[in-house]
Amino acid sequence: MEKVREIVREGRRVGNEDPRRVVHAFKVGLALAFVSSFYYYQPLYDNFGVNAMWAVMTVVVVFEFSVGATLGKGINRAVATLVAGGLGIGAHHLASLSGATVEPILLAIFVFILAALSTFVRFFPRVKARYDYGVLIFILTFALISVSGFREDEILDLAHKRLSTVMMGGVSCVLISIFVCPVWAGQDLHSLLASNFDTLAHFLQEFGEEYFEATEDRDMKEVEKRRRNLERYKSVLNSKSNEEALANFAKWEPRHGVFRFRHPWKQYLSVGALLRQCAYRIDALNSSINSDMQIPMDVKKKLEEPLRRMSSESGKAMKEMSNSLKKMTKSSSSDIHVVNSQSACKTLSTLLKSGVLNDVEPLQMISLMTTVSLLIDIVNFTEKISESLHELASAAKFKNNKMKSSSKSDSGSISSAVPIKSHDDDDDDDGHVVTILSDVVTSNNDDHQSHGVSSVDSCHHVAIEIVDDDSIHEKHEEDSTNIHVHTSRVSCGITNASGLLDSGDKKNLIIN
Amino acid sequence: MEKVREIVREGRRVGNEDPRRVVHAFKVGLALAFVSSFYYYQPLYDNFGVNAMWAVMTVVVVFEFSVGATLGKGINRAVATLVAGGLGIGAHHLASLSGATVEPILLAIFVFILAALSTFVRFFPRVKARYDYGVLIFILTFALISVSGFREDEILDLAHKRLSTVMMGGVSCVLISIFVCPVWAGQDLHSLLASNFDTLAHFLQEFGEEYFEATEDRDMKEVEKRRRNLERYKSVLNSKSNEEALANFAKWEPRHGVFRFRHPWKQYLSVGALLRQCAYRIDALNSSINSDMQIPMDVKKKLEEPLRRMSSESGKAMKEMSNSLKKMTKSSSSDIHVVNSQSACKTLSTLLKSGVLNDVEPLQMISLMTTVSLLIDIVNFTEKISESLHELASAAKFKNNKMKSSSKSDSGSISSAVPIKSHDDDDDDDGHVVTILSDVVTSNNDDHQSHGVSSVDSCHHVAIEIVDDDSIHEKHEEDSTNIHVHTSRVSCGITNASGLLDSGDKKNLIIN
């Protein structure tokens, strides 16, 4: 009894996690009941007889959760059945020419060779990814037809009937999966990526709060809840296989909704991989919240301003990217936050150069520096992710946002104004800073600078003015078409772990 | 033509990667040719007729690469066919009682309900992991039998024949996969884990060389080759799904070779997860080799001795663990390297406290401290991995090594001598250090100290003597039964990322 209740609870959990699962179960039941009725509908039965069972088998085996997976399996099965049927009849014909004693031996040899070859081919990574099921069905059908021991005219009839029933089963599956509450793998991949952006953004926006607040006087339950909420990012760490499977299925899907047939699903995987790299850093950062507990708050506070800004601005950038992904627009609204986080990086390095940490204990220093370096990494990753998303946006032909953006910028001597929003929880500084980024080196030189080597000396990034909120806003809107920020010059001076990634040459980003 | 050559090349690569794949292909061909001959062996054909095709189908679908996977699928298929057959006959009987018009409707409803329920159950994570195939076959068989439209005595005959042929196919698969060049998933998992240990050990042992050598004057090809060799560890990063699949299959396998039926495969996954965590740190460390290029060598050299020792001793510990895993012996030979790496950690912290880095530029400091903190992390992980492997060794009842080890140590005031082997590439220090570890706090207190908080003040670890190699060796062997090292006191003072891991309370390790 306890066992039954547990199963029911588990069922409810699985259903709540994704209600489409319940719908899917109903769809399979429907398809199967429909195909089973072939046995009873007399004209059909007369035609196909026992072969109607192949329709049932096809439905059970082919019907998958998403349209892409169902289509993929259906097409694999249909093509494999056709090819293997043809080959099987050929083999049967060839063997039958050789007389009654040699025939079975010859057929066994054919089966052996084709089965061994096909089984070996299934180990090819590319075949395994997309055609594994097809090769399986190929072996199966070939073996069944070539050895079936019937006369040839019978076999042709058999092959015809089997193929028709497989088609009927397959087509029912595909139609039901497309027209009854369809689950598109492509849509799922798109949403998964957007939600991964969201969870990382959430962590980064909350990190400052969590790292710099004393936890002693807070409600334990509250803390627990915040903690659990923060650690939602952990799902991103293991999203690789899921993303790959979805992308694989999505490739089979026809045009649906906003997605074209050849939507650049591969680029989704690149963005996803970068996000995951970033999530690894966040994972380490999360554990540093715990291990840095022993660092006195007054030591931490020395770096509070830039660290908070680095994480919150990266978080905002991610949030903006998530929004533009969800709306499928080409938006550059995240770029400004990327630049802001990089400027905070620069502030941090100035602060560190000023020797503010000279009297800190070495062991605390190691711990603190690890946090610092992780945040720098994350800022760098945010830029890479933003670039990768821009590539995705242009490959997928996302709509342009209302604001105009020129697609090419002549680099060279660039001087531009960027508003930096102060974060809300910083009371002593309510004004907004305009930062002048001046870059006197032409971009041709830096595009060739080797990746992974830091450019400590190449930051020309100075905050010069404090103005109030409204006037910035105006300035920003007026100048929106001709503000160019050459982000590759505003790098933080330290690049960690960049050797991992094959991101291409840095690009000029345009802020508007 | 070019295409064909490419396929052949790919085939050769796939075959070389694991020659057992070729053998597997032959085995499948053999099994299929064997089962196909049922059609031709007259007494068998008379008995089973067309139903012989179920044997062919079973072989194609059930025969997998490893014994565990084949057995798992075979058992799933057999049980599911049996249960679904029974239920199908029952449903058919029930429906036939209700008259000719209601019968098809009733049957369609049965099929709908069972198909929907089973499809939903396939989403349960535990079912998906082990019984997915069984549930699929259950739906299939139930649908086929309940709607088959035959009279009842025919159905019983049909069910009997189908079950026998499925059994024949399944049993052929299982026998061939067990007795012809068997591939045991358990053995594979075991070897995979050992090789993961090896690749990490290799990186750690080479790290010092790579980090502290100037690369300018070396042959570029040589450097490339070393690099590729170092980066073999990358395979460990993505080993999760592979390990899980193998463990899943291994659970189905009977006793084979040195592995019992209930070998603790789950513990392999725990050790593997810790290794992977460690590999993430190594990945970051690898990129710091590149990004720390710009740090002047004289700055790096200040920390060379402890850093080199930390990485090489962790590497040696891993190597020893790999060896004891390969030989399946309970060995504590790795513990001494764990302790050594921790003592190097302590040396490092003393060095840092002495202010040796006071004049280093902040940005270089961040970079250097990241490397330091990663190595500290790795040392801590090495200890955790060693503990986890000890647990595995006792759960799997590995043989004891020749050396005796007492299984319980009374902690309290402990004082013990541990030889530290100097690493080969350190010319100026050829003697060997005996380290006295004195611990005055009783272990009861520290077992309850909360995890993740460092114990900076609790290291009582001083190097006091330099002696030559032979005398240490003697001392070590003589005292092997009563040297106790309470490793949890010799922690490095900084624990990073430990929040990730649910390792239990620290244990006393016994060095012998």
Side-chain angles (χ1 to χ4, degrees), chain A residues 136-148:
Chain A
L136 187 82
I137 293 298
F138 172 80
I139 312 175
L140 179 65
T141 311
F142 178 79
L144 285 185
I145 288 196
S146 66
V147 301
S148 58

Side-chain angles (χ1 to χ4, degrees), chain A residues 6-8 79 105 116 118 125 146 150 167 237 348 365 367 370 425 439 465 468 488:
Chain A
E6 203 181 297
I7 291 173
V8 170
V79 172
I105 300 168
S118 316
S146 66
F150 291 109
M167 289 293 174
L237 297 175
L348 176 73
M365 186 77 166
S367 197
T370 307
D425 28 60
D439 183 345
E465 210 184 335
D468 76 67
S488 74

Side-chain angles (χ1 to χ4, degrees), chain A residues 3 6-7 10-15 21-22 24-26 28-30 32-33 36 39-40 45 50 53-54 56-58 60-61 63-65 92 103-104 107-109 111-112 115-117 119-120 122-126 136-137 139-140 143-144 146-150 162 233-234 237-238 240 277 280-281 283-284 287-288 290-292 294 348-349 352-355 358 361-363 365-367 369-370 372-373 376 452-454 456 492-500, chain B residues 3 6-7 10-15 21-22 24-26 28-30 32-33 36 39-40 45 50 53-54 56-57 60-61 63-65 92 103-104 107-109 111-112 115-117 119-120 122-126 136-137 139-140 143-144 146-150 162 233-234 237-238 240 277 280-281 283-284 287-288 290-292 294 348-349 352-355 358 361-363 365-367 369-370 372-373 376 452-454 456 492-500:
Chain A
K3 192 90 189 156
E6 203 181 297
I7 291 173
E10 174 77 355
R12 208 169 286 161
R13 195 188 61 75
V14 169
R21 290 171 175 168
V22 182
H24 173 69
F26 274 92
V28 173
L30 185 72
L32 209 54
S36 301
Y39 277 101
Y40 288 92
Y45 189 78
V50 200
M53 82 173 190
W54 289 99
V56 174
M57 282 186 67
T58 306
V60 173
V61 183
F63 211 138
E64 294 276 331
F65 187 56
H92 194 271
E103 188 184 348
L107 278 175
I109 292 174
V111 169
F112 176 81
L117 259 184
T119 306
F120 185 67
R122 286 176 74 192
F123 287 115
F124 287 30
R126 244 174 307 171
L136 187 82
I137 293 298
I139 312 175
L140 179 65
L144 285 185
S146 66
V147 301
S148 58
F150 291 109
R162 202 162 284 179
Y233 75 86
K234 294 213 169 186
L237 297 175
N238 294 317
K240 184 172 191 248
Q277 296 277 1
Y280 290 141
R281 305 307 186 279
D283 194 33
S287 60
S288 76
N290 298 322
S291 68
D292 286 5
Q294 83 260 14
L348 176 73
S349 91
L352 288 176
K353 271 188 192 149
S354 76
N358 277 356
E361 245 223 295
L363 293 182
M365 186 77 166
I366 298 181
S367 197
M369 285 299 111
T370 307
V372 166
S373 129
I376 292 174
V453 176
S454 79
V456 180
C492 294
I494 290 128
T495 48
N496 275 313
S498 57
L500 290 174
Chain B
K3 191 88 189 156
E6 201 181 298
I7 291 173
E10 173 78 355
R12 209 170 283 161
R13 195 188 61 75
V14 169
R21 289 171 176 168
V22 182
H24 172 69
F26 274 91
V28 174
L30 185 72
L32 208 54
S36 301
Y39 276 101
Y40 289 93
Y45 188 79
V50 201
M53 81 174 192
W54 289 97
V56 174
M57 283 187 66
V60 173
V61 183
F63 211 136
E64 293 275 332
F65 188 58
H92 194 272
E103 190 183 348
L107 277 174
I109 291 173
V111 169
F112 176 81
L117 258 184
T119 306
F120 185 67
R122 286 176 74 192
F123 286 115
F124 287 31
R126 244 174 307 172
L136 187 81
I137 293 298
I139 313 175
L140 179 64
L144 285 185
S146 66
V147 301
S148 58
F150 292 109
R162 202 162 286 181
Y233 75 86
K234 294 212 169 183
L237 297 174
N238 294 318
K240 185 172 191 246
Q277 296 277 0
Y280 290 142
R281 304 309 188 278
D283 194 32
S287 59
S288 75
N290 298 323
S291 68
D292 286 6
Q294 83 260 15
L348 176 73
S349 91
L352 288 175
K353 270 186 192 150
S354 75
N358 277 355
E361 245 224 293
L363 293 181
M365 187 77 165
I366 298 181
S367 198
M369 286 298 112
T370 306
V372 167
S373 125
I376 293 174
V453 176
S454 78
V456 180
C492 295
I494 289 127
T495 49
N496 275 312
S498 55
L500 289 174

Side-chain angles (χ1 to χ4, degrees), chain A residues 130-389:
Chain A
R130 294 200 72 184
Y131 309 110
D132 194 56
Y133 183 67
V135 178
L136 187 82
I137 293 298
F138 172 80
I139 312 175
L140 179 65
T141 311
F142 178 79
L144 285 185
I145 288 196
S146 66
V147 301
S148 58
F150 291 109
R151 275 176 300 115
E152 252 169 72
D153 52 337
E154 276 181 341
I155 284 195
L156 274 177
D157 184 52
L158 185 76
H160 162 72
K161 277 182 183 160
R162 202 162 284 179
L163 203 61
S164 329
T165 44
V166 165
M167 289 293 174
M168 279 161 64
V171 169
S172 325
C173 284
V174 169
L175 290 183
I176 290 183
S177 84
I178 290 182
F179 293 108
V180 184
C181 309
V183 175
W184 300 99
Q187 176 67 55
D188 272 16
L189 180 58
H190 189 85
S191 316
L192 178 65
L193 201 65
S195 95
N196 283 354
F197 268 111
D198 277 341
T199 52
L200 298 198
H202 178 258
F203 180 94
L204 289 173
Q205 289 180 316
E206 296 294 311
F207 171 75
E209 212 56 35
E210 199 66 28
Y211 189 74
F212 291 106
E213 295 302 288
T215 44
E216 293 127 27
D217 44 334
R218 276 197 281 168
D219 186 16
M220 268 318 284
K221 257 192 187 159
E222 185 69 12
V223 172
E224 261 309 295
K225 203 179 148 199
R226 279 178 65 93
R227 215 84 257 282
R228 256 206 313 282
N229 223 339
L230 263 189
E231 294 189 347
R232 280 186 304 157
Y233 75 86
K234 294 213 169 186
S235 67
V236 182
L237 297 175
N238 294 317
S239 58
K240 184 172 191 248
S241 55
N242 199 2
E243 283 172 16
E244 278 175 358
L246 285 176
N248 238 334
F249 298 149
K251 281 180 198 153
W252 292 104
E253 289 176 353
R255 184 191 187 99
H256 58 280
V258 281
F259 304 102
R260 293 168 302 121
F261 175 52
R262 287 190 181 282
H263 200 72
W265 300 118
K266 228 176 158 182
Q267 185 65 24
Y268 278 76
L269 295 184
S270 318
V271 178
L274 283 174
L275 269 182
R276 204 156 37 248
Q277 296 277 1
C278 188
Y280 290 141
R281 305 307 186 279
I282 286 182
D283 194 33
L285 201 59
N286 183 45
S287 60
S288 76
I289 295 181
N290 298 322
S291 68
D292 286 5
M293 290 278 210
Q294 83 260 14
I295 301 180
M297 198 46 92
D298 58 318
V299 175
K300 286 195 206 170
K301 288 275 182 193
K302 288 177 183 172
L303 303 179
E304 175 166 10
E305 207 275 324
L307 288 188
R308 260 187 199 265
R309 212 144 57 86
M310 279 160 73
S311 87
S312 74
E313 289 292 333
S314 308
K316 282 177 197 161
M318 296 253 187
K319 189 74 205 165
E320 289 294 337
M321 291 188 236
S322 153
N323 286 340
S324 84
L325 187 63
K326 278 179 199 153
K327 290 184 206 142
M328 297 185 80
T329 52
K330 273 184 197 161
S331 154
S332 318
S333 55
S334 66
D335 297 347
I336 199 169
H337 296 294
V338 171
V339 173
N340 286 350
S341 68
Q342 289 170 327
S343 100
C345 244
K346 191 73 194 93
T347 314
L348 176 73
S349 91
T350 317
L351 199 61
L352 288 176
K353 271 188 192 149
S354 76
V356 71
L357 292 181
N358 277 356
D359 51 347
V360 175
E361 245 223 295
L363 293 182
Q364 295 176 358
M365 186 77 166
I366 298 181
S367 197
L368 195 58
M369 285 299 111
T370 307
T371 307
V372 166
S373 129
L374 285 170
L375 270 171
I376 292 174
D377 259 16
I378 288 170
V379 168
N380 288 334
F381 267 112
T382 309
E383 189 197 342
K384 280 182 196 147
I385 291 167
S386 156
E387 282 170 23
S388 188
L389 192 66

